[in-house]
Amino acid sequence: MESLDRGVVAVRADADSVFVSWRLLGLEPEGTGFNVYRSTAGGSWTKLNAATLTKGTNFTDDGADLTRENRYRVKAVVAGSEGAASAAFTLTADHADEPAVRIPLRDGGSIKYAWVGDLDGDGAYDFVIDRTAATQGLEAYTSKGTFLWAVDMGPNSADQDNIEPGSAAISTGHWDGVTVYDFDGDGRAEVAVRVGDGVTFGDGTVHEEADDVRQSIAILDGRTGAPRATAPVPGDYASDGPMGARFGVGHLDGTTPSLVAYMKNRVGSGGFNLMYTAWRFDGDELTRQWKWLRGDRAASDGHNTRIIDVDGDGTDEIAEIGFLLDGDGTLRYSLADQGIGHGDRFHIGDLDPARPGLEGYGVQQDHPGGLREYYYDARTGTVLWKHVESGVTDVGRGLAADIDPRHSGMEVWSFSGIHNARSNRLTEPDTSLAPWPQLAFQWDGDLSSELLNNGRFEQWDPENPKPSGSLPRLLSTWTYGAADASGGYNPLLYGDILGDWREEAVYKNTDDDELIVFTTDIPTDTRLYTPAHNPAYRNAMTLHGYMQSHHTDYYLGSGMATPPRPDIAYVTT
């Protein structure tokens, strides 16, 4: 996995103080402590903490002169010895009092998605964004906002139909068609993108196809946007037109990252062809590892994909809402024989810490038998419980998160009240008092989840529940000039991008010339290694589709045990 830096970030916590936060890395020695240093107006570095910090990886500086520039850095302390200083984070003089970092962008069209990866090998996450104007594009920026390159997706990106987009269209419906990861293990991330005829890459070269239907997958240099390798998309379904694409990353052999491509097109105005492929980039060539065609098999897909090790053997599997593929592209199970069909959203994680392995929770759309939601063993596909009801059949939302510490494990809910996943107990029967099931989010420092919905960071109180529109609010993004993007209610991206184990939400401003990265300013004593070094979580950060919550492969919630050290190794530049 990525050799990340310390991810130091500093924001004004209030009128008089600065909140500083940093990463605990996945392979950090147990007992690692930290010292925090400040340099004011270019002066000497001063240690701020009297005793080595051994709890939460955050610190509140009450002594800074905020009328002047302040820089912060951190040194790890192992067995009493200080290590090298981290990269410094600069808080400008008279900086705004806001829990956010702003990344400048060039002027351009509207933005729907952002992706992160270490494009230049310095250990910090850089940004790739889409531009969704009449014809689409991609742009890359460093972590500080320096523009790197642009790709013009060309005339075949003009058709942005959310069901049958053009051969080079990205970021339409649940088709993102892009992801960012270090595929060849050289310490610098590449950009994978599905392309059609007429795409102009970052170095000015133009991609050519035989017609407007044929497509390829391109791996771009993260620093220049130049193509390092391309390979044709299999043409099994080309007679039905170009295929929309959703991209993600997994370690299907347990060691080397693979690009996983979910691709579909429509047969006339009827059903859909579905193809999965996996690809490996070795630094020179892009090679297809396998291809899986659904054909006439009963295997229902949805609007997002989960790439996660469901059986604990160290290799990732590929999960759809109604089936699971092994890492070699063979079908392990379909849920169709247990009555599971198409649905919008599903989750896989350690939803019940008392039960071995991982569990899944999903919802259904227009199920002929009235099935709304179900809970299952993610390794075997065995359904553990179902909820069948009349009434609402298009269950467009469903969420799994720990929002009620009175009950062990996570809660799951759509529009049938809140249930404790483990026991199937209905813990909040009043559907009007259940929070809107959009995204779960770690923000305030306790182990239960907060909620992220339509630009609002919210907290549900199980002791005093309120209607969804009246939940206690921790932050309103529009107060800071942010605008929702994906679907009109989501950020461009969310995940652990900066600072400690809590999550950032990346929005755009209303002029589409700035990223606003919301990062917490709330102290906590809880110490966890960065979720970006948890394989399941990092895989989830590479996927968009209909944006859904990320999950670690261990239980993260109230009453949790200390998670085990991740079985990973860092790549080196």
Side-chain angles (χ1 to χ4, degrees), residues 36 173 304 319 350 382 401 420 423 474 543:
V36 182
N304 201 348
D350 193 0
T382 302
N420 176 252
S423 63
L474 304 176
L543 289 149

Side-chain angles (χ1 to χ4, degrees), residues 313-535:
D313 69 352
T315 66
D316 287 326
E317 286 77 45
I318 302 162
E320 275 291 332
I321 196 165
F323 65 92
L324 185 128
L325 300 179
D326 277 323
D328 62 0
T330 58
L331 181 68
R332 176 181 292 195
Y333 62 73
S334 170
L335 297 174
D337 58 355
Q338 298 177 84
I340 308 302
H342 170 76
D344 279 6
R345 284 163 169 78
F346 78 112
H347 301 262
I348 293 179
D350 193 0
L351 311 186
D352 176 6
R355 185 178 185 277
L358 306 180
E359 295 79 37
Y361 165 75
V363 300
Q364 293 284 274
Q365 181 176 7
D366 299 324
H367 193 280
L371 177 63
R372 286 196 178 188
E373 54 190 356
Y374 57 98
Y375 179 69
Y376 64 104
D377 183 307
R379 180 180 65 85
T380 65
T382 302
V383 173
L384 303 174
W385 54 252
K386 299 179 181 179
H387 295 155
V388 178
E389 301 178 49
S390 60
V392 175
T393 55
D394 184 357
V395 186
R397 300 288 185 277
L399 192 53
D402 175 40
I403 59 170
D404 190 343
R406 300 174 302 177
H407 307 282
S408 176
M410 292 193 184
E411 283 66 52
V412 293
W413 72 101
S414 56
F415 304 107
S416 303
I418 299 175
H419 288 76
N420 176 252
R422 173 184 183 180
S423 63
N424 194 21
R425 176 183 174 186
L426 183 62
T427 59
E428 178 49 74
D430 188 339
T431 57
S432 70
L433 297 180
W436 187 257
Q438 185 65 28
L439 290 172
F441 192 54
Q442 291 290 344
W443 179 262
D444 69 1
D446 63 25
L447 290 169
S448 295
S449 289
E450 288 67 59
L451 301 160
L452 177 56
N453 176 42
N454 196 22
R456 302 186 297 264
F457 297 5
E458 298 175 328
Q459 181 80 63
W460 189 71
D461 181 359
E463 301 283 359
N464 184 28
K466 296 183 182 300
S468 181
S470 304
L471 293 182
R473 193 172 302 171
L474 304 176
L475 184 145
S476 299
T477 58
W478 57 84
T479 302
Y480 303 95
D484 284 343
S486 174
Y489 40 74
N490 274 332
L492 310 179
L493 169 73
Y494 93 100
D496 183 24
I497 299 167
L498 295 166
D500 65 18
W501 56 276
R502 289 168 292 177
E503 294 171 303
E504 281 67 48
V506 181
Y507 286 79
K508 61 180 183 176
N509 67 351
T510 54
D511 292 330
D512 293 296
D513 62 4
E514 184 179 61
L515 298 181
I516 305 174
V517 183
F518 288 97
T519 184
T520 190
D521 59 358
I522 302 173
T524 182
D525 285 340
T526 297
R527 168 182 285 218
L528 295 171
Y529 73 84
T530 173
H533 274 164
N534 181 265

